[in-house]
Amino acid sequence: MCGRFVITHPDAALARLFGARPANDLPDTPRYNVCPTQPVATIRSEGGTRLLAPMRWGFLPHWYKSETDGPLLINARAESVATKPAFRAACRERRCIVPASGFYEWTKDDEGRRLPWYIARPGGAPLAFAGIWQDWEREGRAHRTVAIVTTEAAEDMATLHHRCPVVLEPADWALWLGEAGHGAATLMRAPAPGTLAWYRVDPRVNSNRAEGPGLIEPLAA
């Protein structure tokens, strides 16, 4: 799964990388502890134009009567996203990309304490998470919301955690965004072994209020 992530790459750099037009209301960067329900930058395609714009992280199905009317849907499982009522229309019609510099996962020690790990590309290049989005509105409150698609982790990462975000490579972006015909389902697979690397980081990140570059510094042995 993916429950927290990091985005340090500037908006202008992301706009160039993805060939997208940036909105004026993107969240500030860098952010070292992006949490559910916060706004996140996303890329979607409208009429052949890519847009870099914010969405609320936490997918709200259209039948939710309030933001807390059901489970907080921050992730969508690749195995069921095309058939689950909450996600199936978005999977067909409203796919997007969530850029990230890295993300966190946790293991536990023998005493049950949560041990955080930072996961990123070995060279530091941005990650492109597969996402799906949904507009939601009730009683004057409106959100454009997003969930990150996850899948079973590849063999190397499965030693750390059994789930992983779907990471899209540049050659896959057009297909996922609906610009290159059908077949996006074939992209919902684990990153190839070696795509990601990880190391232990400070347990301060266990708090959703923690922030700052120290959160992604390797933990001293």
Side-chain angles (χ1 to χ4, degrees), residues 7-11 14 27-31:
I7 181 69
T8 60
H9 294 84
D11 296 334
L14 294 175
D28 292 336
T29 58
R31 298 164 71 195

Side-chain angles (χ1 to χ4, degrees), residues 10-176:
D11 296 334
L14 294 175
R16 289 194 299 272
L17 177 65
F18 290 98
R21 188 176 73 218
N24 295 323
D25 56 347
L26 288 162
D28 292 336
T29 58
R31 298 164 71 195
Y32 294 91
N33 194 7
V34 181
C35 300
T37 75
Q38 292 179 351
V40 299
T42 65
I43 296 96
R44 71 183 192 277
S45 185
E46 288 190 1
T49 298
R50 292 183 183 177
L51 305 174
L52 177 65
M55 297 186 192
R56 175 191 185 269
W57 186 19
F59 190 98
L60 295 175
H62 65 84
W63 62 79
Y64 275 26
K65 296 178 181 178
S66 72
E67 293 91 335
T68 57
D69 193 36
L72 182 60
L73 304 175
I74 62 171
N75 296 151
R77 294 174 66 92
E79 298 87 345
S80 59
V81 67
T83 57
K84 192 170 183 177
F87 300 137
R88 60 192 178 198
C91 184
R92 290 194 306 269
E93 305 164 7
R94 295 184 298 278
R95 297 187 299 272
C96 64
I97 291 171
V98 181
S101 304
F103 63 103
Y104 299 103
E105 283 296 356
W106 282 260
T107 57
K108 289 185 178 180
D109 65 13
D110 293 340
E111 298 178 4
R113 292 175 296 193
R114 299 178 75 226
L115 308 177
W117 299 73
Y118 181 61
I119 305 162
R121 289 191 188 274
L127 297 166
F129 295 154
I132 55 172
W133 63 274
Q134 170 75 49
D135 282 334
W136 179 90
E137 184 173 2
R138 281 291 186 282
E139 299 177 354
R141 301 188 311 280
H143 300 288
R144 179 157 285 171
T145 69
V146 63
I148 294 169
V149 181
T150 67
T151 189
E152 290 189 6
E155 184 177 353
D156 59 343
M157 189 180 167
T159 60
L160 178 67
H161 197 277
H162 67 287
R163 302 291 298 178
C164 179
V166 171
V167 176
L168 302 169
E169 299 300 334
D172 302 330
W173 295 347
L175 183 57
W176 183 256

